Amino acid sequence: MRSRLSVRSFFAPRSAELARSQFEAFSRQIPLLYFILSVNTASLAFTHRHVAPRLLAVYLPCLLCALCMVRIISWRRRQRRLTDPEITQRLRASIFMTFFIGSGFTIWSLSLFPYGDAYVRGHVAFYMAFTVIGCIFCLMHLRAAALLLTALVIVPFTAFFAMSGNPVLIAIAVNVLLVSLAMVTILLIYYRDFNSLIESKKSLVDKRDEMQRLSDENFKLANLDSLTLLPNRRRFFADIETLLASSALSGHSFAVGVLDLDGFKQINDLYGHGVGDAVLTETGKRLTGLARPDVAFARLGGDEFGMIIPCARDREGLLQLAEAICHSLALPYIRPKATVRLSGSLGLAIYPDAGSHAEQLLERADYALYFAKQHRRGGTVVFSAEHATQLRKVALVEQELRQADLDSEMSLAFQPIVDTTQRRIVAFEALARWHNPTLGMVDPATFIDIAERCGLINLLTEVLLRKALAFARACPPDIRIAFNLSTLDITSKGALARIIGITQTSGVAPHRIDFEVTETAIINDFDQAREALYALKALGVQISLDDFGTGFSSLSRVHQLPLDKIKIDRSFVTNIEAGQHGRAIVRSIANLCVNLNVACVVEGVETQAQLGILRSLGCDLMQGYFFQRPVSADQALGLLENGIAAFAPAPAESAPAAAESDALA
């Protein structure tokens, strides 16, 4: 069996690459082989035309030459690229043809030897020797055929002339045999080197292909998001730069969009990151299903996706597409363990109206997204001239905030929290105020939001907390101080450590301090927020959950927090006189507080009627304009001395009502 395999491997190419290379080289030389055969055959037939029978001297040579011409034409007419199996078949056919043609020419030439004189018979020996040498050279790329031809010609040639008894012919036979053996040796060496060359070439090609594959893979990893299989942020910016270059020449407009999943953080917290990743993967599939040649999507990071629309001349069509995207993302995400619902908000910026470079377009699309999440959650906002004005205002406020002397420009206003049963002030909530020399009084909702977005909120918190605790030291020991913490205050360990340090060195008894956090701050990173609140609780301070009912928090999460108070948001109080719905909500929250053994504080009380309804629902602790608008520290101390007369409304402060809601929320 092994010998059969070795013989087969000797006569058959070792690989498809070797077979193709043999075939290509062989194809170029095979016409020359038949040309040599035809010329030499015609020459030998010519010298025997008068001495040999016409069958041997005319008809057979003509038939053999015609066969050679047919083979030449057959090889010359090959045009299309053959497959590997076809090449193998042609090579095998060539070996068979070598056997038949070699046998035919050998028999024919030896049949002519008896005719003519010594010169004519010598021509036969000359013909066979030089023809076989020429053919061996032509067949050198097809080793099996060359060796077969050598055996078919040289063995009969040597035996025939060795038995002739003529010393000259015997010498010629020996000479041709030795030369043929030398040529066979050269043939084998050449074939080995040829094979090695092909193998080396194949190895180089394989290495090149592997390098190309690795390069393609690296390009894919560098430009593709592995989870959603969408282009990543790098590719997104590269595509925008390409569009900018082409649009600068053509004058065409295009749109850049930023898409964010509303409520994705809660899904991660409630169901785990496995479900969150599955939602992101499904989102990628939905966006891919909406992609067209004129719409491309990318994942920018987290639950944020990017969109490029190369042609944005049809504004109505653009909005229809945006609506289809938001509708697709609002469909339920059905998972084995849960059916998840969320929405997607989309901000769009159109070149060149919204900006002239990639960073500017993305910044303004992001601002439009922020506006959508604030005012059209689950919808689309296109960046407009009005947004540009707002953005310039935000940039101006941010610039002034970065350069501000916070200690001198920042101050606090204090709004009392009243125990309506005892008809006295029990605490003050500290509310941030900023008077800038350039801008004047700045709305707290504006500068606090900007401080959070630009990373200044932690520094702002530290400055205001020191001022709040200084006020607390001036108050009687039974008066508490409530101070709001932002999301970044409780999710940054460094900021939390500084807050704890300020509290410990303030000289204010910890039990007099209430740290207030909003539902939104907790939802953004529940685990980190809970850990931070427990760290604060360990100081001896109290923890209040502010704006309860507006942050969509899970009641199953509320009982996991170290809460001492829950503050009912003003939105539930505004229309409490008009119907039962608001009353039912307030009653439910008040009952929840009783069940959780925490205090309940109602915000936004503005009328005597609201006060009466809230008292009937079991609420005692309240704050709002009905009792007192926010006042300065000196006025607040005066309120402690004089009290709030008959719960009558106090004179209005110049700050707008919307600004009184929170200190740092």
Side-chain angles (χ1 to χ4, degrees):
M1 182 68 178
R2 180 176 296 179
S3 61
R4 183 183 301 173
L5 289 175
S6 62
V7 170
R8 179 180 298 175
S9 63
F10 184 79
F11 283 97
R14 297 180 182 178
S15 65
E17 289 80 4
L18 178 60
R20 183 169 292 278
S21 299
Q22 285 180 298
F23 183 75
E24 295 296 333
F26 179 66
S27 299
R28 291 189 294 269
Q29 296 178 184
I30 196 69
L32 181 61
L33 181 147
Y34 287 115
F35 174 76
I36 292 173
L37 276 176
S38 299
V39 171
N40 289 356
T41 298
S43 175
L44 184 61
F46 179 78
T47 59
H48 285 77
R49 69 187 185 282
H50 297 305
V51 296
R54 292 184 64 83
L55 177 63
L56 294 177
V58 178
Y59 300 129
L60 283 180
C62 288
L63 179 61
L64 292 173
C65 288
L67 177 61
C68 291
M69 292 304 298
V70 170
R71 296 295 294 169
I72 290 175
I73 295 172
S74 171
W75 281 91
R76 295 288 293 180
R77 292 182 62 182
R78 184 180 64 87
Q79 295 180 352
R80 68 179 181 87
R81 182 179 176 84
L82 301 179
T83 63
D84 290 339
E86 289 175 332
I87 287 175
T88 302
Q89 184 179 1
R90 293 291 291 269
L91 291 177
R92 289 175 179 171
S94 297
I95 295 174
F96 287 124
M97 289 299 298
T98 299
F99 174 79
F100 291 114
I101 293 177
S103 300
F105 278 95
T106 299
I107 295 171
W108 172 74
S109 58
L110 290 177
S111 300
L112 291 175
F113 185 78
Y115 303 99
D117 55 18
Y119 292 107
V120 176
R121 291 196 299 272
H123 191 190
V124 173
F126 177 87
Y127 166 82
M128 295 187 69
F130 283 93
T131 300
V132 74
I133 291 173
C135 291
I136 290 173
F137 273 112
C138 292
L139 294 171
M140 62 193 308
H141 293 97
L142 191 56
R143 179 177 61 179
L147 294 177
L148 180 59
L149 181 63
T150 302
L152 288 174
V153 177
I154 298 302
V155 172
F157 176 87
T158 303
F160 184 84
F161 288 107
M163 293 185 295
S164 65
N166 188 320
V168 176
L169 295 177
I170 293 174
I172 291 174
V174 173
N175 187 21
V176 171
L177 176 63
L178 296 176
V179 170
S180 298
L181 291 175
M183 288 186 62
V184 167
T185 303
I186 295 173
L187 169 69
L188 295 175
I189 295 173
Y190 174 83
Y191 186 84
R192 181 196 64 194
D193 295 342
F194 179 78
N195 186 34
S196 298
L197 179 64
I198 298 303
E199 291 296 327
S200 298
K201 179 181 176 182
K202 179 178 180 299
S203 178
L204 289 173
V205 170
D206 289 343
K207 289 181 179 178
R208 182 199 65 191
D209 292 343
E210 178 65 14
M211 290 180 65
Q212 185 63 45
R213 186 189 67 78
L214 292 174
S215 176
D216 293 342
E217 184 68 20
N218 289 335
F219 180 81
K220 179 179 177 181
L221 292 174
N223 293 276
L224 202 66
D225 176 63
S226 59
L227 181 63
T228 62
L229 301 182
L230 291 172
N232 60 12
R233 191 180 189 90
R234 177 200 298 266
R235 178 63 182 274
F236 183 69
F237 270 97
D239 290 344
I240 294 177
E241 293 292 352
T242 301
L243 264 179
L244 282 170
S246 62
S247 296
L249 297 175
S250 65
H252 291 162
S253 62
F254 66 90
V256 173
V258 179
L259 173 69
D260 188 80
L261 299 180
D262 307 316
F264 178 75
K265 183 65 176 63
Q266 294 91 308
I267 291 172
N268 262 346
D269 290 341
L270 290 173
Y271 303 109
H273 290 282
V275 172
D277 287 348
V279 169
L280 291 175
T281 301
E282 176 64 23
T283 300
K285 291 179 180 178
R286 293 185 186 184
L287 293 178
T288 301
L290 292 168
R292 306 194 300 256
D294 58 339
V295 181
F297 295 95
R299 185 188 178 200
L300 304 183
D303 62 330
E304 190 175 67
F305 296 83
M307 180 175 69
I308 298 176
I309 304 174
C311 183
R313 288 175 292 183
D314 181 7
R315 188 181 181 90
E316 183 177 349
L318 183 66
L319 292 176
Q320 288 177 353
L321 172 63
E323 183 180 351
I325 293 171
C326 293
H327 174 73
S328 174
L329 298 182
L331 297 175
Y333 293 76
I334 301 174
R335 308 304 309 161
K337 296 182 180 179
T339 297
V340 175
R341 289 183 179 272
L342 44 73
S343 60
S345 298
L346 177 61
L348 292 171
I350 300 176
Y351 170 89
D353 299 336
S356 58
H357 55 81
E359 291 79 7
Q360 189 177 43
L361 286 169
L362 192 63
E363 175 191 355
R364 297 190 168 183
D366 192 61
Y367 184 83
L369 169 66
Y370 171 77
F371 194 88
K373 292 178 79 69
Q374 293 292 110
H375 304 283
R376 295 193 58 190
R377 195 175 184 88
T380 302
V381 171
V382 180
F383 188 85
S384 64
E386 180 183 354
H387 296 139
T389 301
Q390 295 173 355
L391 194 57
R392 283 192 294 270
K393 180 181 177 181
V394 168
L396 178 60
V397 173
E398 179 179 341
Q399 182 181 4
E400 291 296 327
L401 188 61
R402 290 185 182 278
Q403 299 174 357
D405 181 354
L406 297 181
D407 195 58
S408 63
E409 295 182 26
M410 290 291 170
S411 63
L412 288 171
F414 300 92
Q415 186 174 36
I417 299 174
V418 178
D419 185 332
T420 58
T421 301
Q422 302 179 13
R423 300 174 64 85
R424 72 181 187 89
I425 298 172
V426 295
F428 284 98
E429 181 177 2
L431 303 170
R433 296 291 183 264
W434 179 29
H435 184 274
N436 179 259
T438 302
L439 303 175
M441 288 299 298
V442 183
D443 180 11
T446 298
F447 74 78
I448 290 172
D449 180 63
I450 293 173
E452 288 182 329
R453 294 179 66 185
C454 69
L456 292 174
I457 190 65
N458 297 145
L459 180 59
L460 193 61
T461 295
E462 294 172 30
V463 171
L464 294 174
L465 179 59
R466 289 190 178 93
K467 292 179 180 289
L469 294 176
F471 170 78
R473 286 196 300 271
C475 292
D478 61 336
I479 299 299
R480 311 178 59 79
I481 186 72
F483 187 85
N484 287 267
L485 297 178
S486 78
T487 303
L488 297 179
D489 290 327
I490 61 175
T491 55
S492 168
K493 292 186 177 180
L496 182 66
R498 291 190 292 273
I499 290 170
I500 292 174
I502 293 171
T503 303
Q504 290 175 326
T505 59
S506 66
V508 178
H511 71 272
R512 296 179 55 205
I513 302 172
D514 290 349
F515 282 121
E516 296 187 359
V517 293
T518 63
E519 285 190 84
T520 304
I522 295 173
I523 289 172
N524 285 341
D525 193 336
F526 181 81
D527 293 334
Q528 179 64 36
R530 181 177 56 184
E531 181 181 342
L533 295 183
Y534 271 104
L536 291 172
K537 184 69 175 176
L539 295 175
V541 304
Q542 293 196 355
I543 306 296
S544 296
L545 183 60
D546 198 9
D547 298 340
F548 185 78
T550 62
F552 309 102
S553 63
S554 169
L555 293 180
S556 64
R557 293 294 181 98
V558 171
H559 81 273
Q560 300 179 38
L561 300 174
L563 299 179
D564 299 286
K565 293 183 179 69
I566 289 178
K567 300 186 75 172
I568 300 177
D569 186 68
R570 67 177 59 248
S571 62
F572 300 115
V573 178
T574 302
N575 297 318
I576 200 170
E577 301 173 54
Q580 296 297 322
H581 183 67
R583 301 184 189 190
I585 293 176
V586 172
R587 182 185 291 109
S588 298
I589 298 176
N591 291 336
L592 173 67
C593 293
V594 172
N595 294 331
L596 293 177
N597 194 29
V598 300
C600 177
V601 180
V602 183
E603 297 180 303
V605 182
E606 297 184 354
T607 67
Q608 182 73 47
Q610 290 175 349
L611 171 63
I613 293 171
L614 291 171
R615 289 291 305 274
S616 69
L617 295 176
C619 300
D620 297 326
L621 298 177
M622 304 180 197
Q623 69 181 100
Y625 288 180
F626 177 75
F627 305 105
Q628 182 64 54
R629 292 175 181 267
V631 295
S632 67
D634 291 338
Q635 291 173 317
L637 293 175
L639 290 174
L640 292 175
E641 293 179 5
N642 302 323
I644 300 177
F647 297 97
E653 188 193 24
S654 59
E660 316 299 350
S661 57
D662 296 297
L664 293 174

